[in-house]
Amino acid sequence: MKIINVVIERLYAIGKFEATGELLEQIGQYEEACRVYCDGKLWDNAKNCASMIKAKDVNNKMMAMISDKERATNKDNKDPWTCLKNGDYNAACEIFAETGDWKNC
């Protein structure tokens, strides 16, 4: 197990988030894998991983965390269209207003 942990740490350190997440999933550390996927902005991978968590309360907590991080990232990246696609209308309107795009706002 020590070797796996070293590999996980190194993969994460060099920015190989997908490989890190996959390795964590293989050893059953789904929550940590979800966090790694979120760090790499791999939202679909994170959501798929969270759906494998059997405990409903943990599953719901992870899905909420993933959605919150995704919304925050989209808002920070000033991407109103992705916000709209994800149903975050308030964030999209704020971005449109900040950029002076009143027609779309």
Side-chain angles (χ1 to χ4, degrees):
M1 198 64 151
K2 286 183 180 181
I3 294 172
I4 292 173
N5 289 332
V6 169
V7 172
I8 288 169
E9 288 174 18
R10 298 242 173 111
L11 285 171
Y12 185 86
I14 62 172
K16 299 290 186 182
F17 299 109
E18 188 167 17
T20 306
E22 289 171 358
L23 188 54
L24 286 164
E25 283 185 63
Q26 289 175 3
I27 62 173
Q29 294 184 8
Y30 298 115
E31 289 180 61
E32 189 60 32
C34 289
R35 289 184 185 93
V36 168
Y37 287 136
C38 287
D39 290 346
K41 297 174 182 34
L42 301 166
W43 310 118
D44 290 334
N45 294 36
K47 290 173 188 172
N48 289 337
C49 181
S51 69
M52 292 191 292
I53 298 171
K54 303 262 188 258
K56 199 65 174 165
D57 58 328
V58 177
N59 178 298
N60 291 337
K61 180 181 114 181
M62 294 309 295
M63 289 298 240
M65 186 263 314
I66 293 164
S67 294
D68 290 345
K69 286 185 179 242
E70 185 178 15
R71 278 190 209 109
T73 299
N74 290 335
K75 190 174 177 186
D76 291 344
N77 289 338
K78 306 293 185 199
D79 186 2
W81 301 110
T82 303
C83 291
L84 287 172
K85 182 182 110 187
N86 293 329
D88 194 356
Y89 304 110
N90 290 334
C93 192
E94 286 177 28
I95 295 168
F96 284 132
E98 288 173 8
T99 59
D101 189 351
W102 297 108
K103 178 182 175 194
N104 284 316
C105 187

